[in-house]
Amino acid sequence: MKLFIREHLPLLAFTLIELLTVLAVFWFDGYDHPLTALYALGLGLFVFAGYLIFRYATHRGFYKRLSHPVVSLGEFEQRHEPSPLPSALSELMETQYKQYQTMLQGWERKHENHLTFMNQWVHQMKTPLSVIEMIAQEEEDERTRSIAEEAERMRRGLEMVLYVARLDTFEQDFSVENIALKQLVNETVHEYKRYFIRSHVYPEVRIEDGLYVRTDGKWMHFILGQLLNNAIKYSAGSGQKVTISAKADGHEVILDIQDRGVGIPKADLPRVFRPFYTGENGRHFKESTGMGLYIVKEVIGRLNHQIELDSTEGEGTLVRIHFPK
């Protein structure tokens, strides 16, 4: 109704000016009967009001659609309107909606093909990578150890690519269950044992037996791997410990990962979870991609957990994950 009134205010003003102009012509021509003039003015306004009522009745649905925000794309479907203008607009919107659907379906097919290719490529790369790792394990000289390190780095990179590709289908690829937190942490630490040894950093697990959390074991294993990878990378050569501890606190379980590495500059802390953001440390650690913490944040949110990060430059970083019971 408000939109209808705003649209027709100029027409109302024009009609009044037109009626008054006609009355002025008759008045200056000598036809000076005030009651007749008022009657003519009232009759003109009455006819105009009838026109407005008729127009509002025939365009009510049209103005209602324009006045309310669109909730779903289905509202663009064509509706039968009694007047030419609303009907033409409905046809235009229907045509645009069909074009949008066609384009969206095309992009979805391309996206699905891209994800399929990425998944197949990652799995294909794992086979030759496993062969390289097996060959490297058979030798103990410096060259083969270097090859093994690079192969391990490649494997972690491929795992990240695979999990990034799975983010779009996260709802179809997770299963929440009771997970023994200490066992999960120990398995992840064991997977990174070579990286710990090479970097002269030592894991310290302080988690009681019997502490369980409701989460997806596979995704949580990936998250812990990313956090441990960061903790080791930014503590390399320090000879310090990376402490993984957990405790039950009221209606939640809190998992802490504390390293004693270079830490994160205060100016970078608000942006560490942004995609591709590497910050000041990224200039010194060339392996930084800026995607690890972004993926961790995304997955943590979809699992209905919470994550906090606190760091002091030169002293280390604390990452805290909250698991609601």
Side-chain angles (χ1 to χ4, degrees), residues 154-194:
M154 289 176 61
R155 181 174 292 279
R156 289 198 297 268
L158 290 175
E159 287 294 328
M160 177 177 285
V161 171
L162 188 61
Y163 276 91
V164 169
R166 289 175 178 173
L167 270 180
D168 289 335
T169 57
F170 180 84
E171 290 75 11
Q172 305 171 14
D173 190 41
F174 83 106
S175 175
V176 176
E177 55 187 344
N178 285 324
I179 301 294
L181 189 56
K182 185 175 182 178
Q183 179 182 350
L184 178 63
V185 170
N186 284 334
E187 290 175 355
T188 310
V189 169
H190 180 75
E191 184 177 315
Y192 281 78
K193 66 178 182 179
R194 291 182 182 175

Side-chain angles (χ1 to χ4, degrees), residues 261-265 269 310-317:
V262 297
I264 302 172
L269 286 176
D310 188 25
S311 184
T312 302
E313 191 172 5
E315 296 182 10
T317 301

Side-chain angles (χ1 to χ4, degrees), residues 144-155:
T144 53
R145 280 197 295 269
S146 178
I147 293 173
E149 291 175 9
E150 296 302 323
E152 185 178 346
R153 189 176 302 166
M154 289 176 61
R155 181 174 292 279

Side-chain angles (χ1 to χ4, degrees), residues 99-111:
Q99 291 177 349
Y100 172 78
Q101 281 185 316
T102 302
M103 292 178 60
L104 184 61
Q105 290 171 358
W107 281 110
E108 286 178 347
R109 285 194 298 269
K110 290 181 180 179
H111 184 61

Side-chain angles (χ1 to χ4, degrees), residues 72-259:
S72 65
L73 292 176
E75 295 185 16
F76 284 110
E77 294 179 358
Q78 186 173 3
R79 302 179 183 179
H80 297 288
E81 302 283 357
S83 301
L85 179 61
S87 179
L89 180 62
S90 295
E91 292 179 1
L92 175 62
M93 292 173 67
E94 174 69 12
T95 302
Q96 291 181 335
Y97 176 57
K98 288 181 178 178
Q99 291 177 349
Y100 172 78
Q101 281 185 316
T102 302
M103 292 178 60
L104 184 61
Q105 290 171 358
W107 281 110
E108 286 178 347
R109 285 194 298 269
K110 290 181 180 179
H111 184 61
E112 290 175 358
N113 292 336
H114 175 73
L115 290 180
T116 301
F117 170 76
M118 290 298 295
N119 289 328
Q120 291 179 348
W121 179 80
V122 169
H123 288 295
Q124 288 174 357
M125 290 300 101
K126 283 184 176 182
T127 300
L129 191 59
S130 298
V131 174
I132 294 173
E133 290 174 336
M134 290 177 61
I135 295 174
Q137 288 176 359
E138 295 176 357
E139 303 292 339
E140 292 296 334
D141 57 55
E142 187 64 27
R143 290 185 304 173
T144 53
R145 280 197 295 269
S146 178
I147 293 173
E149 291 175 9
E150 296 302 323
E152 185 178 346
R153 189 176 302 166
M154 289 176 61
R155 181 174 292 279
R156 289 198 297 268
L158 290 175
E159 287 294 328
M160 177 177 285
V161 171
L162 188 61
Y163 276 91
V164 169
R166 289 175 178 173
L167 270 180
D168 289 335
T169 57
F170 180 84
E171 290 75 11
Q172 305 171 14
D173 190 41
F174 83 106
S175 175
V176 176
E177 55 187 344
N178 285 324
I179 301 294
L181 189 56
K182 185 175 182 178
Q183 179 182 350
L184 178 63
V185 170
N186 284 334
E187 290 175 355
T188 310
V189 169
H190 180 75
E191 184 177 315
Y192 281 78
K193 66 178 182 179
R194 291 182 182 175
Y195 196 18
F196 274 108
I197 296 171
R198 290 198 312 269
S199 303
H200 302 287
V201 180
Y202 308 100
E204 181 183 27
V205 179
R206 297 178 180 176
I207 303 176
E208 297 179 358
D209 294 326
L211 195 58
Y212 287 82
V213 293
R214 294 277 299 172
T215 189
D216 181 280
K218 181 177 64 176
W219 280 101
M220 203 63 218
H221 178 79
F222 170 75
I223 289 172
L224 291 176
Q226 291 299 311
L227 297 177
L228 286 178
N229 182 70
N230 285 350
I232 300 169
K233 177 168 57 179
Y234 297 121
S235 304
S238 66
Q240 298 289 338
K241 294 180 180 179
V242 173
T243 303
I244 306 103
S245 59
K247 63 179 180 179
D249 185 14
H251 296 289
E252 64 180 3
V253 174
I254 300 175
L255 175 68
D256 290 343
I257 300 177
Q258 172 75 63
D259 70 63

